[in-house]
Amino acid sequence: MKNFKANYLKVGAALAASALSFGLMACAGNSNVESGSVPPAVAEIRGGNSAPANMPRYVAPKAVTVFEMKIVSGDKQIRVVDKPTLAALDFAAYFNNPIRLAGKEEKPENYQGVMAGAKLADYPFPMLDSLSSYEPNAVTGVEPIAWEPFAKLLYSQTGSDSLSVLLNGVEAVKWNEPEVFRAFQSVTRLWGVPSSNANAGSNAIDWWVEVLPALWTGRNVFYGKLKLTSIGEVAEILNYYLTGEMNSDDALNWARTLSSYWYPTLNTDLEPHTAGAPWENGRPFAVMRGNPMGSPMWIGFEAPAFRMTDEVIRAKQVADSLMAHGEVIPVDRHLDTSSTFRLETLNAIKGTCPANEATAAFRKSLAEQMAKLPKEQNAWAEVDVNGNKVEGGFLWFRRNANYLLADKISGQDSLHNPLPRMIELKNYLDSLGIQLLVVPVPVKEEIYGEKLVPGTAADLCVNLEGRTFTQELLEAGIDVLDIYPALMAAKAGDEPPHYSFQRYDTHWALPGELAAMELLAGRVTQYSWYAESGAQPGSLNLQETQTLREGDLVAHLPDAEKSKYPADNLNVMKVYKGTETYKGGKNSPILLMGDSFTGVFESVDQKSGGPGSLLAYATGLDVQVLTSWGGGPGVRSRMMKMKKDMQSKRLVIYMMTARDLWQSPMEWDALR
């Protein structure tokens, strides 16, 4: 695609190719707040400030642009929001995002066009009325929002998923072709406007939508009004969603969380970047990299309030350089060369996962189960022995299941074989006098094989090649912490609906995390250098809390099923140092690096409750965490840029989901 550097496109121009108007006009309204309190999620966004009492009813003011788009090149954009509200940032992320749209342009092979000639009056949308081919006057001057993140916010605040159910229903309409998995249309814009029903109350909200049919349907964009009027605190939540501005730290946390939710199938990650510093022809506070179809794309998110001048950047670089020079204290390191732990682990794993009739039956049944799925469907629901979906059951991830069906992992091509790269990493760290401990995290499907394939014995080892590869790592002289037995034991204590792994997500829940961290902490204290490391057990404290997390697998279900899986309320153990949440610094003797398993509960959701913080609590040693949301292989290159920080390290723990050992979308390239 032609390079359009410095070409500023205001979102508001028409895209003739898709017959889609980018008329993104915003409003900053008020709402009637009887108690003067701020909804919890909004309070967190705004730093805990309360709303003024007796605010007037929600009214749409003058129109403003939601965001501007700078097209840098065919694979790079910068989206600029004038005011960094959660609504504006969400809209800038979700609207017409090429990372999210990749691969959806081609017509599905089984699409027949059964209702291709249907007129607007005959469209099959029972949840909509007032259908129109033109943007309705009711939304003039009202800021459009992205429905998915707003519906999540509403659910977290009110416990109601009414809006989400209807909007999922719009996107799930299949036009008498239910066998086509891909969505025929998407809700691209949602408007909340004061209700036209005088009997609904002063704060009642009507919802209007813009629906964009997929390009391959040949239909044009259309509009409609949802058959839903929201009352109560919804207007207050909408108002703060539209008007509550974030600071730069909040905005960066927003970007980090978004990247973590999108990464399983879009392979998203945040590029290392100083917030507000130059990138291409802008100064974004965050740069997201996505690689959903094998071709990377970048989108920068920028807010004028977070930009830094060249003078400020130079001053910051000087200050950072001085701080880095004086902050990192090199340690006199020596490797623990004992092979006792490694050999004990090797002996314990040998012969524990044999191929037999039971494993063959499991693999055959799993392969048949996956063969029935549409090729574009990346998640599916747990079923019982009769093939009926289990209410409140688990969701499964296609890539995890593929990993359980893997061939010889070390037999992959040079760009996908992790074994030589693990050896290379060990040799590099050995040269620095730093221990390496590899911690592959078994996938949920491996731990709960009896739920994945009904009729499977609960104690059957179903991951033959994965266990073989762990053995190969140990035989190659690499220390590996085998947490598979601990996770298998932990599930015996499951108390439904709480399990060792999250039901609707790829990650572990607290019981599984604690089981793994107990084993990891025990291993750390066994190193010969631990006694001289200055460890201070008991210097940190724990506080039990909860977080609401929508599973990252829900978005990959058929549209009609998504609303059946609400966010889960999860227990978290947060770690504090005094009254402040814990975070390890550059002088930490331990570097915990890897993929999202190092970041979940650590840098997103309830922070300081992830593996790094829990390990610091248990061992009394500071732990620095380095997370690559886009996949475990990529974190090695980030570590290589931390040469100064590495002077303080005694141990590097490489923790990542084991699925990236097989056909990883992020290649296992050489250290550089």
Side-chain angles (χ1 to χ4, degrees), residues 60-96:
K62 294 181 179 179
V64 295
T65 302
V66 177
F67 73 89
E68 297 178 5
M69 183 162 58
K70 305 175 187 179
I71 297 180
V72 179
S73 63
D75 56 6
K76 293 179 181 177
Q77 300 178 5
I78 298 177
R79 299 188 169 199
V80 185
V81 297
D82 183 49
K83 292 184 178 181
T85 64
L86 185 55
L89 290 175
D90 280 344
F91 194 78
Y94 280 78
F95 186 80
N96 203 36

Side-chain angles (χ1 to χ4, degrees), residues 574-590:
K574 291 191 70 168
V575 179
Y576 288 82
K577 187 171 186 177
T579 59
E580 300 294 324
T581 53
Y582 173 78
K583 184 178 181 180
K586 294 183 176 182
N587 270 313
S588 303
I590 299 174

Side-chain angles (χ1 to χ4, degrees), residues 217-511:
T217 67
R219 299 186 182 91
N220 293 323
V221 63
F222 63 95
Y223 304 84
K225 179 182 176 183
L226 284 180
K227 293 179 180 178
L228 172 70
T229 297
S230 298
I231 58 175
E233 62 182 323
V234 173
E236 177 189 358
I237 296 169
L238 175 61
N239 181 60
Y240 276 99
Y241 184 66
L242 291 165
T243 62
E245 294 188 38
M246 290 187 275
N247 59 35
S248 58
D249 288 339
D250 292 333
L252 189 55
N253 285 335
W254 164 86
R256 187 181 295 116
T257 301
L258 187 70
S259 178
S260 74
Y261 271 97
W262 286 357
Y263 100 94
T265 51
L266 299 180
N267 299 310
T268 48
D269 199 3
L270 293 187
E271 295 281 76
H273 176 73
T274 300
W279 181 79
E280 299 297 338
N281 62 338
R283 294 176 182 265
F285 64 83
V287 178
M288 178 184 288
R289 178 185 185 273
N291 187 6
M293 301 293 292
S295 298
M297 294 174 275
W298 292 262
I299 293 183
F301 297 100
E302 184 174 348
F306 306 150
R307 294 170 183 159
M308 292 193 295
T309 64
D310 292 338
E311 292 76 15
V312 171
I313 292 172
R314 282 193 291 269
K316 187 176 187 305
Q317 289 173 339
V318 171
D320 288 347
S321 177
L322 292 173
M323 181 181 296
H325 179 75
E327 182 182 341
V328 178
I329 303 174
V331 294
D332 184 15
R333 295 177 293 224
H334 60 84
L335 287 171
D336 185 339
T337 57
S338 170
S339 299
T340 302
F341 173 82
R342 181 176 60 82
L343 293 177
E344 288 178 349
T345 306
L346 179 58
N347 289 331
I349 198 175
K350 284 183 177 179
T352 59
C353 196
N356 52 37
E357 290 184 5
T359 57
F362 173 88
R363 291 171 66 91
K364 181 175 183 293
S365 181
L366 178 58
E368 290 174 350
Q369 196 177 145
M370 294 175 64
K372 296 176 183 177
L373 297 174
K375 65 179 182 179
E376 296 174 286
Q377 185 173 342
N378 288 306
W380 73 98
E382 177 188 351
V383 297
D384 60 22
V385 291
N386 297 316
N388 300 316
K389 290 180 181 176
V390 177
E391 184 176 353
F394 282 24
L395 296 180
W396 310 117
F397 187 31
R398 183 187 285 270
R399 276 190 58 207
N400 286 355
N402 282 335
Y403 164 60
L404 298 188
L405 298 176
D407 296 327
K408 189 174 181 60
I409 291 174
S410 59
Q412 297 176 92
D413 64 76
S414 59
L415 290 178
H416 292 90
N417 182 4
L419 183 57
R421 298 310 171 206
M422 291 292 190
I423 296 173
E424 178 187 40
L425 177 61
K426 180 184 184 301
N427 292 338
Y428 171 73
L429 292 175
D430 279 355
S431 72
L432 301 179
I434 300 174
Q435 309 279 164
L436 170 65
L437 179 62
V438 176
V439 187
V441 181
V443 297
K444 176 173 66 176
E445 291 76 358
E446 176 179 1
I447 302 302
Y448 291 95
E450 72 277 12
K451 290 181 174 292
L452 177 63
V453 176
T456 300
D459 61 350
L460 180 68
C461 179
V462 300
N463 185 14
L464 280 64
E465 293 302 331
R467 302 298 288 157
T468 297
F469 184 73
T470 298
Q471 183 173 325
E472 290 181 1
L473 287 172
L474 292 162
E475 291 171 340
I478 297 172
D479 270 3
V480 179
L481 185 73
D482 182 16
I483 62 175
Y484 170 76
L487 292 174
M488 288 291 284
K491 76 173 179 179
D494 285 347
E495 298 180 358
H498 302 293
Y499 298 87
S500 294
F501 276 73
Q502 298 175 47
R503 292 180 297 171
Y504 312 146
D505 196 276
T506 54
H507 300 97
W508 50 30
L510 183 61

